[in-house]
Amino acid sequence: MLRQASHFVPARHVNLDYILAAVCHQKGGSHGRCSRMLSSSRSSNNAADTDIDSETNSRDRVTANVDSHGVCHVRLNRPDKLNACDLAMFEAIARTASDLRQDRSLRAVILSGQGRAFCTGLDVKAVMKNGNPKAQINRLLERPSGYGPNNDNAIGNLAQDVSILWRELPVPVIAVLHGMCYGAGFQIALGADFRYATPHCKLSIMEGKWGLIPDMGASILLKELVSIDVAKELTMTAKIISGEEAHRLGLVTHVYDDPMPEAERFVKDILERSPDAIAAAKELYQSTWTATSDKESLILETKLQEKLLISWNQLAASGRSAFGINVPYSKRKE
């Protein structure tokens, strides 16, 4: 029974499929369809600081502020719930990533959580309480979500896109982790290019605790970071590891007592480099790291390099490095 399941399962540590199975068991029948929630307010691209608002019912779930250097601080903003994800949070995260993709002046994203935790996973109670839970779950699982870069070829559902869409941004995305980073929160962090964590941050692929698997992109994200036996162990045991252990395993890039200033220092280094070269580097490694042939990798290297050669930003980078001339970079080409 659904009532029994929700009584025994903590709200923030449960996989989406658990709720779907429970709802279908109680209600029977097909999953149905739900209307998309796609009206969004787009980000403005002026040089001054810019706020990016989500739609009305998820406006407060995520805040995003782009400064005059093109650095965006994205903050999960549900601290009273330890940033656990309800449907509005999923929509807001995916919409924010989608909006930022349109901004060619963007240089970097720092993703963090307000309050005592980065994100403690799925908020089951909110999903069950707010309206029709069947429709909410179907919205999370249907594909495409509507937020992907090319909706005709998009492959992620909404639950996956909150992780995967950070990979689509042509800029570095740094997740700053503290407190707890469980389940959905862990997979959101895995979608970033870099993870800076506190030594005592708690991380877990929590789905295994409930007899489930991670279904928010972990099958893509984990294989780029750890060996298959480590991925299996963490998934099968649902063990909670510290930031220090996550760093030893390769899941966390750096560990600091106060990771936010370190992330901001790293971004300052990024700002000294050509935005086109940064975007090409991200595309190159992400496209070739695991699943392409040597031939495809070498061809892509040449293709990306040809786009960079004798461009304004390539000449600006050379001027800075060779002659110490602080030539300004232009916006990314793409």
Side-chain angles (χ1 to χ4, degrees):
M1 296 291 289
L2 181 61
R3 180 167 52 239
Q4 293 170 326
S6 62
H7 176 74
F8 287 108
V9 182
R12 58 183 181 270
H13 298 161
V14 184
N15 181 280
L16 303 174
D17 295 323
Y18 182 91
I19 310 174
L20 183 61
V23 171
C24 290
H25 175 74
Q26 185 187 53
K27 299 291 187 182
S30 64
H31 297 163
R33 304 285 293 177
C34 69
S35 61
R36 300 183 189 276
M37 302 162 65
L38 298 179
S39 63
S40 63
S41 55
R42 311 303 295 177
S43 59
S44 59
N45 296 331
N46 36 9
D49 288 2
T50 306
D51 287 325
I52 303 170
D53 290 332
S54 301
E55 66 180 346
T56 302
N57 70 346
S58 58
R59 191 183 305 273
D60 61 342
R61 295 296 194 266
V62 174
T63 65
N65 184 268
V66 183
D67 68 21
S68 58
H69 300 290
V71 179
C72 183
H73 275 273
V74 176
R75 297 178 179 89
L76 309 183
N77 188 37
R78 206 172 174 230
D80 57 319
K81 300 294 184 181
L82 299 177
N83 294 319
C85 294
D86 59 358
L87 182 60
M89 176 81 91
F90 278 99
E91 297 279 3
I93 294 170
R95 183 180 300 105
T96 299
S98 178
D99 286 349
L100 289 172
R101 191 174 60 245
Q102 314 304 320
D103 186 354
R104 288 174 50 235
S105 64
L106 188 70
R107 296 299 312 275
V109 172
I110 298 177
L111 176 63
S112 62
Q114 298 278 43
R116 296 187 293 117
F118 175 75
C119 175
T120 52
L122 182 69
D123 187 343
V124 175
K125 289 182 180 178
V127 173
M128 301 310 296
K129 284 181 180 178
N130 296 337
N132 183 344
K134 232 182 189 183
Q136 291 197 61
I137 295 161
N138 196 56
R139 170 64 185 130
L140 288 167
L141 299 180
E142 65 184 355
R143 69 183 74 238
S145 71
Y147 293 114
N150 184 341
N151 204 42
D152 291 335
N153 298 319
I155 58 174
N157 58 37
L158 178 57
Q160 293 162 340
D161 277 351
V162 297
S163 304
I164 297 300
L165 289 183
W166 299 113
R167 297 159 57 86
E168 304 293 339
L169 297 185
V171 301
V173 178
I174 306 100
V176 177
L177 312 178
H178 74 290
M180 290 159 281
C181 186
Y182 294 157
F186 191 21
Q187 290 177 84
I188 291 169
L190 289 176
D193 300 295
F194 310 93
R195 282 151 297 284
Y196 285 36
T198 62
H200 303 296
C201 179
K202 297 178 180 179
L203 304 94
S204 176
I205 302 175
M206 192 66 73
E207 289 84 356
K209 187 174 181 179
W210 311 110
L212 299 167
I213 59 170
D215 62 348
M216 293 173 57
S219 60
I220 296 173
L221 306 170
L222 282 173
K223 67 183 177 183
E224 295 178 349
L225 301 173
V226 299
S227 58
I228 189 171
D229 57 332
V230 171
K232 287 177 179 177
E233 179 184 6
L234 294 175
T235 301
M236 292 175 182
T237 64
K239 67 187 292 188
I240 296 174
I241 60 176
S242 68
E244 289 181 335
E245 185 174 358
H247 180 248
R248 288 194 296 271
L249 293 173
L251 291 164
V252 164
T253 314
H254 295 291
V255 172
Y256 299 105
D257 290 332
D258 189 0
M260 181 61 76
E262 300 297 335
E264 292 171 339
R265 273 190 277 274
F266 172 58
V267 166
K268 286 183 179 179
D269 290 339
I270 294 296
L271 295 178
E272 294 299 316
R273 306 295 175 230
S274 162
D276 290 323
I278 294 292
K282 180 170 178 175
E283 180 182 353
L284 173 64
Y285 289 131
Q286 220 150 263
S287 299
T288 62
W289 201 254
T290 57
T292 58
S293 67
D294 291 348
K295 179 180 178 180
E296 289 171 321
S297 296
L298 294 174
I299 289 173
L300 182 59
E301 280 185 8
T302 302
K303 178 182 177 181
L304 293 172
Q305 190 76 303
E306 288 175 343
K307 291 168 64 176
L308 296 174
L309 287 169
I310 320 301
S311 65
W312 173 267
N313 282 334
Q314 191 264 318
L315 295 174
S318 298
R320 289 180 175 218
S321 297
F323 305 108
I325 302 172
N326 193 23
V327 181
Y329 290 122
S330 65
K331 292 181 179 180
R332 287 191 321 274
K333 286 183 178 179
E334 298 175 2

